[in-house]
């Protein structure tokens, strides 16, 4: 460690964080192709059918020239619509090709860089950090910052602002209790979601059902039953638990102040109990209407946190569909990086003599990135790096106060402080000692 | 990667979806022509004839379109294959994302990174956006049970382990660092922006070879710099002297009294005495160079007077000094951490897959289970690994030095002891346990 070997760039492994950079446009390319394929298939079959019908009708003399004209107009409209959709797809394809080109060019820059000490590596790595930050911002919905940042750095082709913006739009909608946007997205990606065995659509439909019941309004409840028949029953094999609650939900109204522990209504805020079938004594001898002792199973269903769960499962499905890692890349990089850099000294209370730069030693002291305020608190969450070899300064001496420094650094510091040759000064505490009291330290 | 790059580069010539748009255009043309024909006569016979004639060309166009689509699909498939080959999918370790719990800290780190990079407008946008988020979260989730006092203490106590000398100094001199600590943990201190704005202003003037603002700054912080053992102020003064010395031909300043050799002489006379105690030798050299002025390149002083690199060097050391006085590292920690992350990630993935295959898990949480090789400039602390137990020393098991000067982990020494005597594992000497000194590396 710390040798040439460690600073060499292993090209096979160095781009792990950059996989989504190319994967995402590729997945989008495929998605775009699929939608182009879909509209072509749909519209061309229709046009072909209309054409055949119109031709036979007109040959057999069943239709007038006006009818023929009408049919032709229908076909023309269809084809113009198709053209519009296809042009959009073709534009998107061109944009994605341009992105792919820019991105591979960016990644290829690394090909000629063989060590991290190469002067060209730093700008490249900085650019990567910028990308990771934009990715982080986008995933957390800070789109304005992401846009400002990518504009500032001129790297619009290297980041996926639009993709994440539409993702965040749908997520926000879910968090605010609207399923329409997410359902439209499910419709768009139906086949792929089915392949992934995603239950997102079912959960969205189920939520719709819950919301209809929540109103406790009779026509709405009827609508809910129809909704359940249409959208939920087909899932009874894959989601037997949820489907079996459908009827139960009809019986247990949403009384928000059910105590989640006991399942009993909270007497301080008495709700309305529409289904009172008679008094019933429970174990404690207190009086409760029979059906208002709501099993926790049903209270949970009415919980508002379900919206957050839906939003999260949408994000998960979205990321899986586009082969994006489930957490922001910056998290992954920081997780690995912080623990690689962290040492036991970074959070210790002892004032380590080499805390300020053993490596830059002789030149100027610089603060360790983990000790620096920005990351110190964050780094507490990760383990420190494992080392099998000591990394210490050359030629160590111990001062009478038990602190150890490299000889070169001691000499330099004494000289900087204008001390005579016979004295040294502790770099941290500032104590001055005569050289004769120092003792050599052997590190094996 | 090269193949991939070539392939993507040649995509422009490959079949594209655009061609299907052209196919649609042709169909529209045919349809329009047919419509015109039928509309012109409005005759049943012509109508049926046109419709019959339309069948074949239209169907042919549709076939072409399908074929075009197939070609595009082929291109995409090939691209996918090349991509798989150039960049085989390696799943990233995302199972326990510790960072997700510390979003506020990451946000703060990013905001501070943006500030130190001089991206003030982006930083502001980011802070506004994240702050909205925080207030929102505070309203919805009622969880700030750990009061501001608790967090403050925590933060206050911990930088001691870090660059203590610098931190302490910045406490005395720069109120910024101290006030920062008492700030809510997710917001970078507001003063920081002004500090970095200052830094960029000074850097900008250094870039224009104007040392004035930097000298002013160094003089203001003279004491702290000295306490750090930094020669920065003297270096600045020296460069200014050299710069003036080289005269108008080199520095492009107006040739008047305060410029040129005379200017340098006057400047030196005024400023060097303060540094005499510590830098007498260098000052003597700089002054004697006057004698060689007509033939400087051949004189022994030529190297002292080369200014090509000096300004970028002084800019770099200015950044370092400036950040150190704020208790910050000179290079953005976020940058170093992500770069280190990219370097360490392959090992992490390898370990994760191996652990998965064996069905074992690393149980201690303080230390990573595998070594992550980093280049030497990313090692900031001394690391001592006990040569006997091969364990890294830490607070609980500190390094101890035995009388012969060898260093071991304290736990190791305890095990080596027979009674209270031990024998050094590396040399023939022995000693008493009480003679071992705990040392601080």
């Amino acid at each position: 460690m710390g040798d040439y070997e460690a600073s060499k760039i292993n090209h096979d492994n160095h781009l792990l964080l950059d996989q989504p950079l190319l994967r995402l446009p590729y997945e989008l390319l495929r998605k775009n192709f699929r939608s182009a394929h879909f509209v072509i298939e749909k519209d061309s079959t229709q046009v072909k059918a209309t054409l055949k019908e119109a031709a036979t009708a007109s040959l057999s003399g069943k239709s007038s020239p006006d009818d023929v004209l009408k049919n032709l107009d229908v076909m023309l409209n269809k084809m113009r619509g198709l053209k519009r959709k296809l042009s959009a797809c073709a534009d998107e394809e061109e944009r994605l090709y341009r992105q792919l080109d820019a991105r591979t060019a960016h990644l290829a820059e690394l090909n000629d860089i063989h060590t991290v000490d190469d002067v060209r590596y730093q700008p490249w790595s900085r650019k990567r950090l910028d990308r990771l930050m934009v990715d982080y911002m986008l995933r957390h919905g800070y789109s304005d910052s992401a846009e400002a940042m990518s504009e500032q750095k001129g790297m619009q082709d290297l980041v996926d602002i639009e993709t994440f913006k539409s993702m965040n739009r749908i997520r926000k909608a879910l968090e605010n209790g609207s399923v329409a946007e997410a359902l439209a997205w499910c419709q768009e990606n139906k086949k792929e979601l089915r392949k992934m065995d995603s239950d997102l659509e079912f959960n969205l439909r189920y939520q719709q059902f819950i919301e209809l019941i929540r109103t406790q309004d009779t026509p709405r409840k009827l609508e809910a039953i129809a909704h359940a028949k249409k959208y939920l029953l087909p899932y009874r094999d894959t989601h037997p638990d949820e489907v079996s609650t459908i009827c139960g939900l009809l019986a247990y109204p949403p009384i928000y102040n059910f105590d989640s522990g006991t399942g009993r209504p909270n007497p301080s805020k008495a709700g309305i109990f529409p289904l009172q079938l008679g008094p019933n004594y429970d174990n404690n001898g207190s009086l409760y209407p029979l059906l208002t002792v709501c099993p926790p199973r049903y209270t949970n269903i009415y919980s508002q946190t379900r919206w957050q769960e839906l939003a999260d499962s949408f994000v998960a499905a979205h990321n899986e569909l586009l082969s994006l890692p489930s957490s922001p890349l910056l998290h992954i990089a920081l997780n690995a990086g912080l623990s690689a850099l962290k040492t036991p000294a970074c959070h210790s209370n002892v004032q380590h003599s080499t805390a300020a730069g053993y490596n830059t030693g002789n030149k100027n002291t610089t603060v360790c990135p983990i000790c620096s305020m920005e990351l110190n608190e964050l780094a507490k969450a990760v383990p420190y790096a494992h080392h099998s070899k000591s990394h210490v300064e050359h030629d160590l001496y111990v001062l009478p106060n038990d602190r150890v420094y490299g000889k070169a650094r001691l000499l330099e510091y004494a000289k900087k402080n204008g001390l005579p040759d016979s004295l040294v000064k502790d770099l941290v505490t500032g104590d001055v000692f005569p050289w004769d009291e120092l003792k050599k330290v052997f590190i094996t | 990667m090269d193949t991939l790059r070539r392939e993507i580069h040649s995509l422009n010539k490959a079949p594209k979806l655009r061609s299907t748009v052209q196919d649609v255009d042709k169909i529209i043309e045919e349809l329009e022509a047919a419509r015109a024909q039928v509309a012109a006569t409005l005759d049943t016979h012509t109508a049926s004839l046109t419709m019959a004639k339309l069948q074949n060309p239209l169907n042919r166009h549709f076939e072409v379109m399908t074929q075009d689509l197939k070609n595009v699909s082929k291109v995409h498939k090939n691209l996918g294959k090349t991509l798989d080959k150039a960049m085989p999918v390696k799943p990233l370790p995302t199972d326990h994302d510790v960072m997700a719990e510390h979003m506020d800290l990451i946000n703060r780190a990013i905001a501070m990174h943006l500030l130190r990079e001089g991206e003030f407008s982006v930083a502001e946008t980011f802070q506004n956006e994240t702050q909205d988020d925080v207030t929102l979260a505070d309203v919805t989730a009622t969880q700030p049970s750990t009061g501001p006092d608790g967090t403050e203490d925590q933060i206050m106590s911990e930088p001691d382990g870090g660059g203590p000398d610098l931190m302490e100094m910045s406490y005395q001199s720069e109120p910024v660092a101290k006030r920062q600590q008492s700030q809510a943990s997710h917001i970078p201190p507001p003063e920081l922006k002004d500090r970095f704005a200052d830094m960029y202003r000074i850097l900008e003037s250094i870039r224009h070879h104007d040392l004035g603002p930097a000298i002013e700054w160094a003089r203001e912080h003279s004491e702290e710099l000295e306490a750090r053992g930094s020669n920065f102020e003297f270096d600045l003064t020296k460069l200014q002297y050299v710069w003036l010395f080289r005269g108008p031909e080199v520095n492009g300043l107006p040739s008047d009294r305060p410029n040129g050799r005379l200017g340098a002489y006057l400047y030196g006379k005024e400023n060097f005495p303060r540094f005499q105690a510590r830098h007498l030798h260098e000052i003597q050299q700089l002054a004697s160079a006057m004698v060689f002025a007509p033939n400087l390149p051949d004189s022994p002083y030529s190297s002292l007077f080369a200014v090509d690199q000096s300004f970028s060097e002084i800019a770099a050391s200015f950044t370092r000094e400036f950040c150190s006085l704020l208790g910050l590292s000179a290079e953005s920690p976020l940058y170093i951490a992500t770069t280190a992350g990219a370097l360490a990630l392959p090992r992490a993935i390898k370990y994760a897959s191996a652990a998965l295959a064996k069905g074992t898990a690393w149980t201690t949480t303080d230390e990573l289970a595998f070594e992550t090789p980093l280049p030497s400039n990313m090692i900031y602390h001394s690391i001592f690994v006990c040569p006997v137990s091969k364990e890294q020393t830490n607070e609980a098991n500190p390094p101890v030095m035995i009388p012969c000067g060898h260093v071991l982990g304290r736990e190791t020494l305890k095990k080596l002891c027979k009674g209270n005597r031990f024998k050094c594992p590396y040399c023939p000497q022995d000693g008493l346990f009480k003679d071992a000194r705990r040392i601080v590396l």
Side-chain angles (χ1 to χ4, degrees), chain B residues 123-143:
Chain B
E124 198 168 323
T125 320
F126 182 68
Q127 260 166 283
N128 288 339
E129 253 180 323
T130 49
Q131 243 144 22
D132 290 351
D133 221 42
V134 167
T135 41
L136 211 76
D138 279 352
V139 172
T140 47
T142 46
Q143 44 134 343

Side-chain angles (χ1 to χ4, degrees), chain B residues 32-290:
Chain B
E32 271 170 347
R35 190 187 186 282
Q37 241 171 8
V38 176
T41 56
L42 274 183
D43 161 39
T44 326
H45 181 65
T46 348
S48 58
L49 197 67
T50 331
M51 288 309 277
K53 267 194 194 160
L54 200 54
Q55 296 274 338
N56 279 337
L58 230 50
N59 279 332
R60 210 167 45 241
H61 284 310
F62 276 122
E63 264 161 43
V64 173
M65 192 149 80
T66 322
Q67 191 55 47
D68 282 342
L69 211 54
K70 260 188 201 150
N71 291 340
V72 176
S73 147
K74 211 188 273 169
V75 172
H76 288 182
K77 265 198 192 116
N78 284 337
L79 181 64
K81 271 184 207 149
T82 330
L83 181 62
D84 285 342
K85 218 179 262 169
M87 218 187 220
V89 183
K90 287 178 192 160
L92 295 165
T94 50
D95 10 335
H96 27 252
D97 185 3
V98 207
M99 294 295 135
E101 296 154 28
H102 301 280
M103 242 182 86
D104 47 346
L105 291 172
I106 301 182
N107 284 346
R108 190 181 66 150
I110 291 182
M112 286 176 73
H113 170 82
L114 290 171
L115 286 177
R116 74 151 67 224
E117 295 288 297
E119 302 285 350
F120 298 119
S121 68
V122 181
E124 198 168 323
T125 320
F126 182 68
Q127 260 166 283
N128 288 339
E129 253 180 323
T130 49
Q131 243 144 22
D132 290 351
D133 221 42
V134 167
T135 41
L136 211 76
D138 279 352
V139 172
T140 47
T142 46
Q143 44 134 343
S145 51
T146 45
D149 297 324
T151 43
E152 189 180 325
D153 287 349
Q154 229 176 0
I155 304 172
M156 291 290 280
S157 64
E158 127 236 334
D160 297 355
D165 47 342
L166 308 176
M167 289 297 217
E168 259 179 6
M169 229 171 295
S170 52
Y171 282 166
Q172 297 152 7
S173 51
E174 299 279 335
V176 163
K178 188 147 195 169
R179 249 179 290 156
Q180 264 162 219
Q181 308 294 333
S182 53
Q183 284 280 338
S185 65
H186 47 77
I187 309 165
E191 298 97 329
L192 205 63
K193 182 184 168 187
D194 302 335
R195 295 289 167 149
F196 279 115
D198 256 1
M199 186 178 102
Y200 275 92
R201 185 179 51 81
I202 297 175
L203 277 177
E204 189 58 26
S205 37
I206 294 182
R207 202 163 298 134
H208 292 110
H209 294 174
D210 173 11
L211 294 176
I215 292 175
E216 202 180 301
W217 178 86
R219 189 150 304 164
E220 261 173 54
H221 299 89
S222 174
E223 268 176 44
E224 302 137 48
L225 287 171
E226 202 141 321
R228 258 171 61 72
S230 155
N231 292 338
F232 183 63
E233 200 185 352
F234 176 69
D235 288 342
L236 274 173
T237 315
K238 191 172 100 185
L239 182 62
Q240 180 72 359
Y241 173 84
V242 169
W243 191 234
L244 291 172
F245 188 97
R246 297 298 295 269
E249 313 88 78
V250 178
N251 64 25
L253 296 170
S255 102
D256 47 13
R257 214 172 109 83
N259 197 3
R261 251 168 285 152
L262 182 61
Y265 169 71
L266 291 172
Y267 182 81
K269 206 170 125 187
E270 191 190 339
N271 290 289
F272 281 143
R274 299 199 297 125
F275 303 105
Q276 232 161 11
R278 277 170 57 184
H279 303 283
L280 187 62
H281 182 63
E282 274 177 280
I283 295 173
Q284 280 168 344
Q285 281 186 326
L286 288 168
S288 340
M290 284 285 177

Side-chain angles (χ1 to χ4, degrees), chain A residues 6-289:
Chain A
S7 57
K8 229 163 72 175
I9 294 175
N10 179 347
H11 284 104
D12 288 341
N13 274 334
H14 201 74
L15 294 177
L16 290 169
L17 281 173
D18 308 294
Q19 300 180 68
L21 192 65
L22 297 183
R23 282 285 154 194
L24 182 62
Y26 174 67
E27 293 297 334
L28 290 176
L29 200 63
R30 293 208 324 175
K31 189 180 164 193
N32 183 52
F33 177 81
R34 279 196 300 266
S35 54
H37 186 99
F38 179 73
V39 287
I40 288 180
E41 281 292 302
K42 197 174 114 215
D43 288 355
S44 64
T45 354
Q46 276 178 2
V47 168
K48 274 189 216 161
T50 326
L51 179 66
K52 206 165 185 187
E53 241 169 67
T56 27
S58 129
L59 271 179
S60 58
K62 274 183 207 149
S63 61
S64 68
D66 278 339
D67 291 336
V68 173
L69 275 185
K70 225 179 267 164
N71 274 328
L72 278 171
D73 282 340
V74 169
M75 287 190 276
L76 267 173
N77 276 339
K78 266 261 171 312
M79 292 315 283
R80 285 194 185 119
L82 177 63
K83 187 186 169 182
R84 212 176 38 245
K85 287 179 217 155
L86 276 183
S87 304
C89 287
D91 290 346
E92 171 77 354
E93 190 185 52
E94 265 166 33
R95 184 184 74 86
L96 288 169
Y97 278 176
R98 206 179 50 242
Q99 268 197 349
L100 275 170
D101 196 35
R103 291 171 184 208
T104 39
H106 167 61
L107 294 183
E109 279 171 29
L110 198 67
N111 273 354
D112 314 332
I113 305 175
H114 297 290
T115 78
V116 289
D117 303 324
D118 194 311
V119 280
R120 289 168 300 171
Y121 181 72
Q122 216 203 17
W124 191 88
S125 184
R126 265 183 195 283
K127 213 171 191 178
R128 172 176 56 197
L129 171 61
D130 291 338
R131 281 193 282 117
L132 296 185
M133 285 200 293
V134 173
D135 173 76
Y136 172 88
M137 292 168 179
L138 287 171
R139 278 166 182 263
H140 289 296
Y142 308 139
S143 350
D144 290 350
S145 318
E147 268 172 76
M149 175 101 185
S150 63
E151 199 173 307
Q152 189 78 25
K153 303 273 181 180
M155 50 176 200
Q156 284 92 337
D157 274 341
L158 300 183
V159 291
D160 304 281
I161 291 182
E162 286 313 314
T163 311
F164 282 106
K165 255 178 137 180
S166 51
M167 176 187 99
N168 282 320
R169 205 161 37 240
I170 300 174
R171 188 181 65 183
K172 278 262 157 59
L174 281 177
E175 281 166 355
N176 294 326
S178 156
V179 288
E181 294 81 357
L183 276 175
W185 182 83
C186 284
Q187 197 59 37
E188 257 173 60
N189 301 287
K190 212 172 184 147
K191 264 191 202 157
E192 288 66 38
L193 286 174
R194 203 177 302 146
K195 252 183 234 162
M196 276 162 41
D197 271 339
S198 162
D199 46 12
L200 180 64
E201 188 176 351
F202 171 78
N203 282 329
L204 292 170
R205 295 287 184 198
Y206 190 43
Q207 191 65 36
Q208 272 185 320
F209 172 77
I210 296 167
E211 293 309 312
L212 287 171
I213 301 278
R214 202 194 291 280
T215 58
Q216 286 298 307
D217 170 34
T218 313
R220 287 296 180 82
K221 276 180 165 172
L222 291 174
E223 200 184 313
I225 295 170
H227 176 90
K229 274 187 190 155
K230 187 170 173 197
Y231 295 112
L232 300 181
L233 271 184
Y235 289 96
R236 62 175 171 274
D237 292 335
T238 48
H239 298 85
D241 283 352
E242 285 92 338
V243 174
S244 69
T245 58
I246 291 174
C247 293
L249 272 183
L250 284 169
Y252 289 109
I255 294 162
Y256 300 113
N257 41 24
F258 271 126
D259 187 289
S260 55
T262 60
R264 284 194 209 112
N266 183 343
S268 64
K269 289 192 246 162
I272 321 135
F273 310 132
L275 281 172
Q276 290 195 356
L277 299 183
N280 176 43
Y281 290 94
D282 74 355
N283 310 342
N284 299 333
S286 44
L287 185 75
Y288 280 109

Side-chain angles (χ1 to χ4, degrees), chain A residues 19 23 58 73 80 91 126 136 145 348 353-354 367 373 376 384-386 388 390-391 402 416 439 442, chain B residues 18 32 35 48 84 90 107 129 158 161 180 229 278 329 331 366-368 371 382-383 403 405 441:
Chain A
Q19 300 180 68
R23 282 285 154 194
S58 129
D73 282 340
R80 285 194 185 119
D91 290 346
R126 265 183 195 283
Y136 172 88
S145 318
S348 96
S353 39
T354 40
V367 181
M373 181 178 40
N376 195 284
Y384 57 77
H386 173 78
S388 55
S390 296
H391 296 276
D402 292 342
K416 270 185 180 173
K439 204 169 170 236
F442 297 98
Chain B
R18 190 66 67 197
E32 271 170 347
R35 190 187 186 282
S48 58
D84 285 342
K90 287 178 192 160
N107 284 346
E129 253 180 323
E158 127 236 334
Q180 264 162 219
R278 277 170 57 184
S329 69
E331 183 56 272
D366 330 348
E367 190 172 345
L368 276 184
E371 192 157 3
S382 296
I383 290 155
L441 276 162

